[in-house]
Amino acid sequence: MANKRQQKRFIFRCETEFSANDATYRGIASDFSLNGIFVRTTHPLVPDTIIDMTVYLPEGMTSKLTGKVKRALKPSIGRVVGTPVRAFKHGMGIEIIKKDINYLNFIRSLLG
């Protein structure tokens, strides 16, 4: 399967809160790029949902983002016999449509 990603991804884990439709949820942002994030959560939202996010970056910094759910994953446990439960990733791929300077600086720091 071809990699459709247009930008370099960085594996790094940060706590995050996201909200949509008057509800707030928590998750772990675990896969970063300039224009996207994968959020591990037990509450993935449907594609095309616009969300507001707060990402808790290293060194006590926070970043406020607005994103659009592009992909939601909520695997059914038990469908693949012998696969450890930890192998299933509940979450969603987010396209970042609005980012702040703290996020830009964080991505620059990952670039080295």
Side-chain angles (χ1 to χ4, degrees):
M1 178 177 238
N3 185 351
K4 297 183 202 176
R5 294 179 176 160
Q6 297 176 357
Q7 296 170 338
K8 186 170 170 101
R9 293 274 183 173
F10 301 95
I11 303 299
F12 197 93
R13 288 176 174 74
C14 297
E15 291 185 23
T16 185
E17 292 180 353
F18 58 95
S19 59
N21 306 319
D22 298 320
T24 300
Y25 307 96
R26 292 181 182 268
I28 301 293
S30 62
D31 193 0
F32 293 85
S33 76
L34 182 60
N35 293 317
I37 296 177
F38 183 81
V39 176
R40 293 175 186 243
T41 179
T42 56
H43 302 285
L45 303 173
V46 298
D48 296 325
T49 302
I50 301 297
I51 64 172
D52 292 313
M53 300 177 64
T54 300
V55 179
Y56 297 93
L57 301 172
E59 300 179 19
M61 301 292 288
T62 60
S63 178
K64 300 285 187 182
L65 307 172
T66 301
K68 181 178 185 178
V69 178
K70 297 302 279 184
R71 186 168 169 227
L73 301 171
K74 193 165 187 178
S76 175
I77 299 300
R79 295 185 93 193
V80 181
V81 177
T83 303
V85 171
R86 69 183 178 279
F88 293 103
K89 292 183 182 179
H90 286 67
M92 54 193 173
I94 308 295
E95 175 186 11
I96 301 170
I97 54 180
K98 184 178 175 188
K99 57 186 93 70
D100 63 13
I101 191 69
N102 288 345
Y103 188 78
L104 294 172
N105 288 337
F106 172 66
I107 293 297
R108 281 188 198 116
S109 75
L110 295 175
L111 287 168

